[in-house]
């Protein structure tokens, strides 16, 4: 049973479009949700994160929309660039004792020029 | 941003041998983690380590696995003996505090023959 699920294995958008990557989770105790960006041959790098007390977090072209009631969140990448082509991992953790990040299986984003 | 280094980047060994994966965490970080990623699958938590002790481990952290950070040097993951199913990319991460951002290294690609 996957605790963190990313609905799309891959997504292709055109340069300048908004890419929307979706994520859902099972465990109501999760309250911290980072998104990591990973390029081939590299480790994942934190892109943006949100805590469950918020429903939106924005950082430049990247925005997380969070719906606690529905247990889902999405990462919006505005004005997508070819350099944004990477794999994006949604992750979750619970502040009530657990130290581990639970990762989704990732969405491979391709931005076509 | 902060860099986590991992040595070696690739390792090929025969089943039954011992292997040590090395991680050089961010200098002032106190919390250390290992994650395992099998090709095409999500990254999965193995273990976290703080103040010289394993704080939490998953069911993937078999008895053949051990971690240590002697005298503030490398944070290591040792597998003895190795099995075919240990073939994966192993990512080290570190954070300055509990539930703080985890910074990941580029991974060590381990192939057990």
């Amino acid at each position: 049973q996957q605790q963190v699920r990313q609905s799309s294995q891959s997504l292709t958008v055109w340069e300048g479009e908004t890419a929307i990557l979706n994520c859902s989770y099972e465990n109501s105790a999760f309250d911290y949700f980072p998104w990591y960006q990973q390029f081939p041959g590299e480790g994942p790098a934190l892109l943006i994160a949100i805590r469950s007390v918020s429903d939106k977090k924005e950082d430049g072209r990247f925005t997380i929309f969070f719906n606690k009631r529905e247990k889902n969140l999405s990462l919006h990448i505005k004005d997508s660039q070819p350099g944004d082509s990477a794999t994006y991992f949604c992750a979750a953790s619970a502040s009530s004792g657990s130290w581990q990040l639970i990762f989704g299986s990732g969405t491979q984003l391709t931005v076509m020029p | 941003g902060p860099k986590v280094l991992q040595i070696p980047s690739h390792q090929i060994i025969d089943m039954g041998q011992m292997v040590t994966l090395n991680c050089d965490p961010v200098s002032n970080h106190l919390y250390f983690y290992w994650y395992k990623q099998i090709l095409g699958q999500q990254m999965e938590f193995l273990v976290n380590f703080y103040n010289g002790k394993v704080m939490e481990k998953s069911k993937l952290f078999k008895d053949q696995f051990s971690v240590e950070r002697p005298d503030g040097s490398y944070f290591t993951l040792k597998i003895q003996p190795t099995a075919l199913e240990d073939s994966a990319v192993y990512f080290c991460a570190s954070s300055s505090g509990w539930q703080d951002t985890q910074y990941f290294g580029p991974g060590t690609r381990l192939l057990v023959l």
Side-chain angles (χ1 to χ4, degrees):
Chain A
Q1 182 190 10
Q2 278 192 318
Q3 291 197 62
V4 176
R5 190 173 290 116
Q6 293 182 249
S7 52
S8 300
Q9 198 171 1
S10 63
L11 175 68
T12 300
V13 298
W14 293 102
E15 184 174 357
E17 291 184 333
T18 297
I20 301 175
L21 291 75
N22 296 306
C23 178
S24 61
Y25 62 97
E26 305 272 340
N27 190 343
S28 302
F30 289 155
D31 55 7
Y32 173 66
F33 302 89
W35 282 87
Y36 281 83
Q37 178 190 56
Q38 185 179 27
F39 295 103
E42 298 182 11
L46 180 69
L47 190 64
I48 186 172
I50 193 168
R51 296 197 182 268
S52 59
V53 293
S54 303
D55 55 16
K56 180 181 175 183
K57 177 79 176 288
E58 192 169 352
D59 184 357
R61 296 187 296 111
F62 304 96
T63 303
I64 299 175
F65 292 92
F66 178 70
N67 187 324
K68 189 172 182 177
R69 188 172 60 87
E70 298 291 328
K71 294 189 194 161
N72 61 43
L73 59 156
S74 59
L75 173 67
H76 291 225
I77 306 175
K78 272 192 305 190
D79 187 24
S80 296
Q81 303 296 309
D84 295 330
S85 297
T87 300
Y88 292 81
F89 291 96
C90 173
S93 70
S95 59
S96 55
S98 180
W99 300 46
Q100 58 181 283
L101 285 174
I102 307 296
F103 281 85
S105 53
T107 296
Q108 188 170 352
L109 174 68
T110 303
V111 182
M112 303 291 290
Chain B
K3 293 285 188 192
V4 175
L5 304 177
Q6 290 188 242
I7 301 163
S9 58
H10 296 76
Q11 180 88 54
I12 301 174
I13 58 169
D14 291 323
M15 183 177 64
Q17 284 190 316
M18 182 196 78
V19 68
T20 300
L21 309 184
N22 298 293
C23 172
D24 187 8
V26 178
S27 60
N28 61 343
H29 284 186
L30 300 175
Y31 298 80
F32 313 110
Y33 314 80
W34 283 103
Y35 290 81
K36 176 182 179 181
Q37 185 178 37
I38 294 174
L39 187 65
Q41 298 184 23
Q42 67 215 79
M43 199 157 4
E44 294 188 272
F45 170 81
L46 284 176
V47 65
N48 54 40
F49 189 85
Y50 168 72
N51 199 26
K53 291 182 289 191
V54 169
M55 302 304 293
E56 188 180 12
K57 58 185 180 180
S58 73
K59 61 180 185 302
L60 294 179
F61 193 79
K62 305 180 295 184
D63 290 344
Q64 298 91 320
F65 289 30
S66 63
V67 291
E68 63 176 354
R69 194 186 187 211
D71 301 321
S73 60
Y74 288 145
F75 174 51
T76 63
L77 172 66
K78 186 183 293 185
I79 310 174
Q80 181 178 29
T82 50
L84 296 176
E85 60 265 25
D86 296 331
S87 295
V89 182
Y90 290 84
F91 290 98
C92 171
S94 69
S95 66
S96 56
W98 180 55
Q99 282 256 315
D100 284 345
T101 299
Q102 291 183 31
Y103 293 90
F104 284 79
T108 293
R109 282 140 190 84
L110 175 66
L111 179 60
V112 181
L113 301 176

